[in-house]
Amino acid sequence: MPCPDFHLSRRSAIRSLLGGSLIMPAVMSDLLAGGGAPSGVVPRRPLYDAKAKRVIFIYLTGGMSHVDSFDYKPDLERLGKQGGGKEKYLPPQWQFKARGQSGLQVSDLFPHIAGCADDLCVIRSMYGDHNNHAPATLGIHTGSFTVARPSIGSWVSFGLGTENQNLPSFVVLAPKMPYGGGLAWGADFLPGEHQGTRVVPGDEPVPNLKRSAPSGEIQQMELDLLAQYNRIHLGEAGRGSDPQLRARIQSYQTAFGMQMQMPEALDLSGESDATHRLYGLERGSTKGFAWQCLVARRLAERGVRFIELIDTGASGNWDAHSNIKSHEPLARNVDKPVAGLLRDLKSRGMLDDTLVVFTTEFGRTPKADGTTGRGHHCHAFTSWLVRRRKGRLRPRDD
């Protein structure tokens, strides 16, 4: 059968390529108009004025069980107790209770987050197209399960820029690499300066951050000289259109800015004992998910546009084929820090303009995998967001 004849315009091609990604209307308008990428990570206003100015994206790698945490299924409890059959249903392993004034059902797996129930918007209709970890991880981060595309953080950086030129617009706090590796925070065909900058909890979160020059003034002179040579190099033999070279040059200035402000952002010594207790963080510690959450709040305060916290699990990730009870220590590791982050943001008035996302790549099966485990389940799983105030999204007047 002959292939139907059709004309693919430039406009249609770009829409097709970008349609699976979360992209702001203003960015799409610029691309379709031929404006290309903005020069550097400069602040940009969106087409619509919205309350959220930044995103904190909490990602639990491995597949957290929705039916044991935020998606109460009374029938699953009933079917699980009946037992028998070739494929046995596994009832929820933690008790669900109605929480807060809203009556939101949250299990005892997350008792501290349950205390923030009235601030949450739980989405139980999430689904994906792939049941394997790496493709599903890319899917939740980029909208594509098969080919590399810019990550959600890169799109936000590209669309809105940064409020602080001395810090990256997109920071990833990750002790270990997730499934899919750095593609989860990559920029792909967007300019390289919009990819995530990884910060690793520990004694040296950002390698080589200490200044090597005797003073900032001398280092700035060195950078100015380097920039002069870079401009000459960029202008030779048509190199001006090379996006990788431009991103590499931009990275030197970004690194200089980080040397001035990132050490202060990562220094928690000035935080009160009460704040440390709120997050469940031992004073002086530079590791653990509590450290990631408190640093996330400090980066958000300092104008970082998109902050991702990746929990890969101190004792393994959230994959739970053999025993769903392995969720218990993993949940204990993130529960109090995440609740502390929400309460801290709220007490500082930042919850009104910070979008907090809590997600995983897929859920777990209602039926048992083996005896007490659960398999991968991409057909329905749960994420939650901080619930924002009601109100229509209005376009700008200008």
Side-chain angles (χ1 to χ4, degrees), residues 101-236:
Q101 295 181 357
S102 65
L104 180 71
Q105 292 280 347
V106 181
S107 83
D108 289 337
L109 182 61
F110 292 102
H112 293 282
I113 295 176
C116 303
D118 290 338
D119 291 319
L120 307 183
C121 173
V122 178
I123 304 172
R124 301 190 178 99
S125 54
M126 300 289 294
Y127 69 93
D129 292 339
H130 215 293
N131 247 341
N132 289 339
H133 290 292
T137 297
L138 295 182
I140 201 73
H141 282 87
T142 72
S144 171
F145 297 85
T146 54
V147 297
R149 281 191 177 172
S151 63
I152 180 174
S154 295
W155 277 121
V156 171
S157 170
F158 177 75
L160 299 179
T162 182
E163 295 180 310
N164 188 335
Q165 295 295 316
N166 289 328
L167 291 172
S169 57
F170 177 16
V171 175
V172 181
L173 301 167
K176 299 176 184 176
M177 297 292 280
Y179 293 103
L183 290 175
W185 55 80
D188 194 48
F189 55 75
L190 294 180
E193 59 262 33
H194 298 290
Q195 72 180 9
T197 297
R198 184 186 176 198
V199 174
V200 181
D203 296 334
E204 193 179 12
V206 181
N208 307 312
L209 193 59
K210 293 182 180 179
R211 183 182 291 135
S212 58
S215 68
E217 291 78 8
I218 293 177
Q219 189 168 16
Q220 184 63 66
M221 290 173 62
E222 293 174 348
L223 284 171
D224 290 344
L225 179 61
L226 179 63
Q228 183 178 345
Y229 282 117
N230 281 335
R231 282 193 295 270
I232 295 172
H233 181 66
L234 195 62
E236 292 175 348

Side-chain angles (χ1 to χ4, degrees), residues 36-336:
S39 176
V41 189
V42 296
R44 285 162 54 90
R45 289 188 66 191
L47 181 63
Y48 293 90
D49 283 324
K51 276 189 172 289
K53 296 179 180 178
R54 66 195 70 86
V55 179
I56 297 177
F57 192 86
I58 301 168
Y59 177 68
L60 312 181
T61 187
M64 182 197 72
S65 174
H66 57 301
V67 295
D68 291 289
S69 55
F70 298 99
D71 191 0
Y72 180 46
K73 302 289 190 188
D75 282 353
L76 181 58
E77 197 162 351
R78 177 180 58 81
L79 291 169
K81 289 178 179 177
Q82 288 178 357
K86 185 176 180 181
E87 292 183 306
K88 186 180 74 172
Y89 285 95
L90 184 67
Q93 298 298 291
W94 290 270
Q95 184 180 359
F96 278 83
K97 298 174 185 173
R99 315 284 183 165
Q101 295 181 357
S102 65
L104 180 71
Q105 292 280 347
V106 181
S107 83
D108 289 337
L109 182 61
F110 292 102
H112 293 282
I113 295 176
C116 303
D118 290 338
D119 291 319
L120 307 183
C121 173
V122 178
I123 304 172
R124 301 190 178 99
S125 54
M126 300 289 294
Y127 69 93
D129 292 339
H130 215 293
N131 247 341
N132 289 339
H133 290 292
T137 297
L138 295 182
I140 201 73
H141 282 87
T142 72
S144 171
F145 297 85
T146 54
V147 297
R149 281 191 177 172
S151 63
I152 180 174
S154 295
W155 277 121
V156 171
S157 170
F158 177 75
L160 299 179
T162 182
E163 295 180 310
N164 188 335
Q165 295 295 316
N166 289 328
L167 291 172
S169 57
F170 177 16
V171 175
V172 181
L173 301 167
K176 299 176 184 176
M177 297 292 280
Y179 293 103
L183 290 175
W185 55 80
D188 194 48
F189 55 75
L190 294 180
E193 59 262 33
H194 298 290
Q195 72 180 9
T197 297
R198 184 186 176 198
V199 174
V200 181
D203 296 334
E204 193 179 12
V206 181
N208 307 312
L209 193 59
K210 293 182 180 179
R211 183 182 291 135
S212 58
S215 68
E217 291 78 8
I218 293 177
Q219 189 168 16
Q220 184 63 66
M221 290 173 62
E222 293 174 348
L223 284 171
D224 290 344
L225 179 61
L226 179 63
Q228 183 178 345
Y229 282 117
N230 281 335
R231 282 193 295 270
I232 295 172
H233 181 66
L234 195 62
E236 292 175 348
R239 296 190 186 99
S241 60
D242 186 343
Q244 291 186 345
L245 179 57
R246 283 186 172 276
R248 185 69 172 172
I249 292 172
Q250 176 68 29
S251 69
Y252 286 103
Q253 195 61 44
T254 302
F256 177 62
M258 286 176 64
Q259 284 184 327
M260 292 192 294
Q261 195 154 0
M262 186 64 89
E264 184 273 334
L266 300 178
D267 182 7
L268 307 185
S269 61
E271 297 286 347
S272 68
D273 290 340
T275 299
H276 279 77
R277 287 194 298 270
L278 180 65
Y279 285 82
L281 179 63
E282 182 181 346
R283 182 168 285 282
S285 174
T286 58
K287 297 179 181 179
F289 203 74
W291 183 88
Q292 291 173 249
C293 286
L294 182 49
V295 168
R297 189 219 80 204
R298 292 175 62 85
L299 291 174
E301 283 179 315
R302 287 155 178 78
V304 177
R305 189 71 75 179
F306 196 100
I307 305 150
E308 178 165 5
L309 313 179
I310 297 182
D311 176 52
T312 51
S315 57
N317 63 37
W318 292 79
D319 208 13
H321 292 279
S322 59
N323 184 9
I324 197 64
K325 285 290 188 178
S326 65
H327 272 26
E328 200 155 85
L330 297 172
R332 195 180 308 120
N333 183 52
V334 304
D335 181 36
K336 187 172 184 177

